[in-house]
């Protein structure tokens, strides 16, 4: 993935800018991420704090569980990011919000014990 890139919500009210390569890139199959996105799984990448910033209006927030905050556009509802006390000093952005989502290069699947039976992926990536 590129070292400098941008992303935004559907309406363009909330956006972010990144300067630095992702710490990791992965597909998450946990129930919480599925419910937050309304999809079979969520694709994320992690960015160390200090290497990203909100470039438009700041997002709305929702504490989805203890120690977990989800960020979304308060206008159009697009999920933008996720932060957890389990991963201090990094923000997890949704890959599909990238201006160029084709640059996303996932390296694994996580929480596959919660994967839906109708999600069948043959990408050969490691699964945990």
């Amino acid at each position: 993935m590129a070292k400098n890139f941008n992303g935004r919500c559907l309406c363009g009210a909330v956006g972010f800018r990144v300067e630095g390569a992702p710490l990791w890139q992965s597909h998450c199959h946990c129930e919480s991420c599925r419910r937050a996105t309304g999809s079979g799984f969520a694709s994320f990448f992690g960015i160390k704090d200090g290497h990203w910033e909100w470039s438009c209006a700041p997002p709305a927030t929702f504490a989805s569980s203890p120690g977990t905050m989800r960020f979304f556009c308060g206008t159009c509802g697009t999920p933008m990011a996720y932060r957890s006390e389990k991963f201090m000093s990094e923000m997890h952005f949704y890959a599909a919000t990238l201006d160029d989502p084709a640059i996303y290069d996932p390296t694994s699947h996580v929480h596959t014990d919660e994967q839906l039976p109708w999600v069948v992926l043959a990408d050969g990536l490691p699964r945990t």
Side-chain angles (χ1 to χ4, degrees), residues 29-49:
H29 295 270
C30 81
E31 180 183 3
S32 180
C33 286
R34 291 193 327 261
R35 289 188 181 278
T37 62
S39 61
F41 60 93
S43 300
F44 288 104
F45 57 92
I47 300 294
K48 185 170 180 56
D49 286 347

Side-chain angles (χ1 to χ4, degrees), residues 54-99:
W54 297 115
S55 58
C56 301
T61 60
F62 172 67
S64 61
S65 59
T68 300
M69 188 68 63
R70 294 188 181 268
F71 300 80
F72 61 97
C73 176
T75 302
C76 69
T78 300
M80 297 298 297
Y82 164 96
R83 182 182 288 279
S84 173
E85 290 176 357
K86 296 177 188 175
F87 307 100
M88 296 301 292
S89 72
E90 65 184 73
M91 183 70 87
H92 302 171
F93 292 95
Y94 291 96
T97 63
L98 288 165
D99 287 349

Side-chain angles (χ1 to χ4, degrees), residues 7 19 21-23 28 31 33 38 44 52-53 78 88 94 96 103 117 127:
E19 293 183 3
L23 299 167
C28 182
E31 180 183 3
C33 286
F44 288 104
W52 67 271
E53 65 182 359
T78 300
M88 296 301 292
Y94 291 96
I103 66 172
R127 305 168 68 76

